[in-house]
Amino acid sequence: MASHPLSHHEILSLVAPFTRRGLHPDLQSTNRQERRLVFKPVERLGEREGAPAYTETLELYCTSGAATPHKLKRTTVCSTAPENFEARLEIEGRDLADMLDCFDTVPSSSQFRFGPGFKMVKCWRLLRGSGKTPTGQPATQKSLTHMAATLGDLTVKATAPTVKADPETIIEIEPPEGAHLRLPEDLLAVLGWNWSLLRRRRDTWRGILKTSGREPDRSRRAELNLDKMVEHLVQTFGDAPARFHDRLYKARWGVAFRRSLPLLVALTLIGLAALSSRLELSEDSLLRMLIFNASPLLMVSVFCMRRLPQIEIPPLPRRLKASKWMPDPEPA
């Protein structure tokens, strides 16, 4: 970003593609020192009668250097969504008219999803593809950056990694302020191998979704998993805590087995080491070489992992004894 403030002449040279679309700058909200140009909100009515209305606000983060791209951000608020429930869409580039055309390929309604018991919003970063679609619109790819959902009084958030090599999407489950939420550690792990255990940090429960691959396939898989997670949480929190074990006891036992794998591997290696002392192997034996080099190879492979495996005796899955997921607050 350039250090000098945004001048009036620069604003006039930037707003032409916007004014042709009926978008006008909001000079009161514009921050010239930060080189952030804000446009007046535009209301988009639903396609059918009774559909929610959407209010879009564009922000342009301007740069003066030819090698540095501009950043265009669209913030959308839905009339039927909770307060501070915003959908964001971002793109970087130098051709402002082309960036606006890319935004047209993603209607605001596609960033919101409403279903029985939940409201969801997704935020994306647009990546410019090559060529155009058969309809004449620019080819774009959507990369997920953030997801938020409300399930009654609970809030679920997902933050996608900002680094391409990072496969971990952070999941957070937050109760309303002042409430305490009791959750089993395998609440999300029952969904599959890509889901981690939940860990409590104060009043927030945090987990990890692992999605490998390249964009945009990685974002598509992450969105499918997050949709599945929200539906799973709606069903789980809609039932009593004891029903979670009755409905998913096989998956819970599968999670317990996965947690015991590091311990089983360690015990197996110890047993093989003890057994190897009784074997009569020649000095040129391949098996002898593997046995004597197993320890350093195993150490190297462990340190190459993103997270060190936890050797533990996992607790056996049991029915939850609490009658509610969020107990009533104790009287003062």
Side-chain angles (χ1 to χ4, degrees):
M1 288 290 183
S3 57
H4 64 273
L6 188 64
S7 66
H8 182 71
H9 294 287
E10 286 180 296
I11 294 177
L12 293 177
S13 64
L14 291 169
V15 298
F18 297 89
T19 53
R20 286 196 294 266
R21 293 169 173 262
L23 301 170
H24 303 283
D26 186 353
L27 297 181
Q28 292 184 348
S29 302
T30 295
N31 191 322
R32 298 193 180 191
Q33 190 66 40
E34 296 179 359
R35 299 185 62 83
R36 180 170 61 91
L37 181 59
V38 182
F39 293 84
K40 295 180 179 180
V42 177
E43 186 174 354
R44 308 287 186 187
L45 299 179
E47 298 179 355
R48 62 183 185 277
E49 186 177 355
Y54 302 93
T55 303
E56 301 174 354
T57 304
L58 290 180
E59 296 179 68
L60 178 63
Y61 295 82
C62 311
T63 56
S64 58
T68 308
H70 299 305
K71 180 179 179 181
L72 186 61
K73 176 181 175 182
R74 186 182 76 188
T75 303
T76 306
V77 179
C78 181
S79 59
T80 59
E83 189 178 357
N84 298 327
F85 207 65
E86 300 176 344
R88 295 185 298 275
L89 190 66
E90 300 176 356
I91 191 172
E92 293 184 354
R94 297 296 303 178
D95 190 340
L96 297 179
D98 183 72
M99 295 162 69
L100 289 171
D101 291 338
C102 291
F103 272 10
D104 290 340
T105 64
V106 184
S108 296
S109 57
S110 65
Q111 295 186 259
F112 293 86
R113 183 187 172 196
F114 304 115
F118 72 91
K119 296 179 180 180
M120 183 191 302
V121 63
K122 295 178 182 179
C123 304
W124 294 311
R125 181 186 299 109
L126 285 184
L127 306 176
R128 184 66 166 89
S130 58
K132 293 188 176 183
T133 63
T135 59
Q137 293 180 319
T140 57
Q141 298 175 351
K142 294 184 294 186
S143 175
L144 182 70
T145 59
H146 187 75
M147 187 279 296
T150 58
L151 290 72
D153 295 332
L154 297 178
T155 302
V156 182
K157 298 179 181 179
T159 304
T162 57
V163 182
K164 293 182 179 180
D166 187 359
E168 298 182 350
T169 299
I170 306 299
I171 311 295
E172 292 181 331
I173 303 177
E174 302 176 356
E177 186 177 358
H180 298 282
L181 186 62
R182 297 176 181 176
L183 297 178
E185 291 183 339
D186 57 354
L187 177 65
L188 299 181
V190 296
L191 295 175
W193 287 76
N194 294 331
W195 297 88
S196 73
L197 298 172
L198 285 180
R199 300 300 183 188
R200 185 173 183 177
R201 295 189 177 183
R202 296 184 179 180
D203 292 334
T204 302
W205 292 82
R206 178 173 293 187
I208 294 173
L209 167 63
K210 296 181 181 178
T211 49
S212 58
R214 298 182 177 180
E215 296 291 357
D217 293 334
R218 182 170 71 173
S219 288
R220 292 197 194 102
R221 288 195 295 270
E223 289 186 41
L224 291 175
N225 281 294
L226 292 175
D227 292 343
K228 182 180 177 181
M229 176 198 69
V230 171
E231 294 172 359
H232 163 69
L233 293 178
V234 169
Q235 184 177 6
T236 300
F237 294 140
D239 294 333
R243 281 283 302 154
F244 172 71
H245 178 79
D246 297 339
R247 184 167 53 89
L248 299 168
Y249 71 95
K250 290 184 179 180
R252 299 194 74 193
W253 278 102
V255 174
F257 172 74
R258 282 156 44 192
R259 296 179 67 176
S260 64
L261 285 178
L263 177 61
L264 294 177
V265 171
L267 294 177
T268 301
L269 291 176
I270 293 173
L272 291 176
L275 182 62
S276 64
S277 61
R278 300 185 180 183
L279 298 177
E280 296 182 1
L281 301 174
S282 63
E283 294 184 358
D284 298 333
S285 173
L286 179 62
L287 181 59
R288 178 187 177 89
M289 183 190 67
L290 292 175
I291 291 175
F292 279 95
N293 291 280
S295 298
L297 290 176
L298 183 62
M299 183 176 298
V300 171
S301 63
V302 167
F303 281 103
C304 288
M305 294 181 178
R306 186 173 185 83
R307 295 181 181 272
L308 295 179
Q310 183 176 356
I311 299 178
E312 61 176 343
I313 300 177
L316 299 179
R318 300 182 184 276
R319 295 187 69 185
L320 305 180
K321 298 181 180 179
S323 59
K324 298 180 180 179
W325 291 105
M326 284 190 298
D328 297 328
E330 298 180 0

